[in-house]
Amino acid sequence: MVPVPLGVPGFFINFKLSMPLFRLRYLYVLLPFILLITVQSAFAQQSPVPAPITKQTEQEKKLADLQQFNNRFGKNDTIWSMVIVYEGDTIPAKTYAAVDIYGAMTRAMRKRNEAMTRLRNAVYVTYPYARKAGIILNDMNAQLAKMNSESQRKDYIKSMEKDLRKEFTDPMERLSVYQGKVLMKLINRQTGNNCYDIIKEYRGGFSARVWQTVAFFFGSSLKQSYDAQGEDHDVEVIVQEVERMYRG
């Protein structure tokens, strides 16, 4: 085939005839890109625009999580309960109200209860006398310390003894021997001295020995000590109970 020169009209004829074929090939190449752009545009129109992300506080996040958890069940479908985790197991935990359980007392318990009731009654009866006796004796010691004359001291003691007899004779006569023992312990507690030393101080050694003999025949002693942390602990507990009543 003889090539056609560029200036020859036949070139334009061949070029014009080949243009439809060139356009068809060009369309085959661009068609996939056109379809891809069309599909992306369609999906872009259908998908909603994401909402702007806002910063959520810790409290709001907890409330949202709790609300999401509560929405899983109806209000009558959930029973809240405390739990404990023991060795990997989750166990329901409940706190019940205190329950007092009473049973029949044994013979030893009954004796103990009777002894405490008797002691409490004796302390309640005798504590006012012991308290007043402590106040009077402390006042007497303060007054005697100011006196230099022995005769003046004896006259003062006799006058106080007379007044004390008027005030305490009748109540003291109504006390039982057991209550008298408790009273002597309480006087020791209030004054720091046993009854033997007190009588010896104010009335002399002979009177103290006479009254000690009388107490001995009644199964008691004027020289009773007071041990709040030892054998007299129960007495001390009851006395503190009574003193709270005096303080109001």
Side-chain angles (χ1 to χ4, degrees):
M1 181 177 180
V2 181
V4 181
L6 291 177
V8 180
F11 171 79
F12 297 99
I13 295 171
N14 293 337
F15 180 77
K16 290 180 181 179
L17 291 174
S18 63
M19 283 298 293
L21 297 175
F22 176 77
R23 290 175 182 175
L24 183 60
R25 292 173 183 174
Y26 183 73
L27 182 61
Y28 285 146
V29 174
L30 294 181
L31 182 60
F33 294 98
I34 296 173
L35 292 177
L36 179 61
I37 294 172
T38 305
V39 171
Q40 288 180 348
S41 301
F43 276 105
Q45 292 178 359
Q46 293 178 1
S47 60
V49 179
I53 301 175
T54 58
K55 188 175 181 180
Q56 196 173 30
T57 63
E58 186 74 17
Q59 187 67 20
E60 291 175 347
K61 187 175 183 304
K62 290 181 179 180
L63 293 176
D65 293 341
L66 180 62
Q67 185 66 32
Q68 183 179 3
F69 178 80
N70 291 338
N71 290 337
R72 294 168 55 192
F73 308 100
K75 64 179 182 178
N76 297 322
D77 297 336
T78 306
I79 299 177
W80 295 95
S81 175
M82 295 178 59
V83 297
I84 59 173
V85 178
Y86 178 74
E87 296 183 354
D89 292 334
T90 302
I91 305 172
K94 296 181 185 248
T95 301
Y96 293 99
V99 178
D100 296 328
I101 300 176
Y102 299 94
M105 290 192 298
T106 62
R107 180 177 299 178
M109 293 174 63
R110 283 197 298 271
K111 288 184 177 180
R112 171 67 176 169
N113 185 60
E114 291 172 359
M116 285 298 296
T117 302
R118 186 186 184 195
L119 180 61
R120 177 174 280 102
N121 176 71
V123 172
Y124 269 70
V125 170
T126 59
Y127 178 79
Y129 303 131
R131 185 170 182 268
K132 193 166 186 178
I135 295 173
I136 293 173
L137 290 175
N138 292 333
D139 184 64
M140 286 179 62
N141 290 333
Q143 295 297 327
L144 291 172
K146 300 176 183 178
M147 300 177 185
N148 298 323
S149 173
E150 187 65 25
S151 60
Q152 187 180 7
R153 290 167 58 90
K154 288 182 179 181
D155 292 339
Y156 175 73
I157 292 173
K158 286 182 179 181
S159 64
M160 289 299 299
E161 182 181 354
K162 184 178 179 180
D163 294 338
L164 290 174
R165 284 181 180 275
K166 289 181 181 179
E167 184 172 0
F168 289 103
T169 297
D170 291 341
M172 293 296 109
E173 289 179 349
R174 292 195 293 265
L175 294 179
S176 66
V177 175
Y178 179 78
Q179 290 172 340
K181 293 179 181 179
V182 175
L183 176 60
M184 286 188 289
K185 282 186 173 291
L186 295 181
I187 290 176
N188 192 338
R189 180 184 184 274
Q190 297 297 120
T191 63
N193 297 309
N194 58 52
C195 292
Y196 182 88
D197 293 335
I198 294 173
I199 295 174
K200 183 179 178 180
E201 174 70 21
Y202 295 109
R203 295 298 304 274
F206 178 76
S207 297
R209 287 191 294 271
V210 170
W211 287 109
Q212 171 66 6
T213 303
V214 174
F216 174 78
F217 280 109
F218 283 96
S220 183
S221 174
L222 298 179
K223 298 181 180 181
Q224 293 185 85
S225 60
Y226 186 81
D227 185 7
Q229 303 300 325
E231 62 178 0
D232 299 316
H233 176 70
D234 291 339
V235 178
E236 182 64 24
V237 171
I238 300 173
V239 168
Q240 291 181 9
E241 177 183 322
V242 177
E243 286 182 340
R244 285 194 293 269
M245 297 171 57
Y246 275 86
R247 290 193 297 266

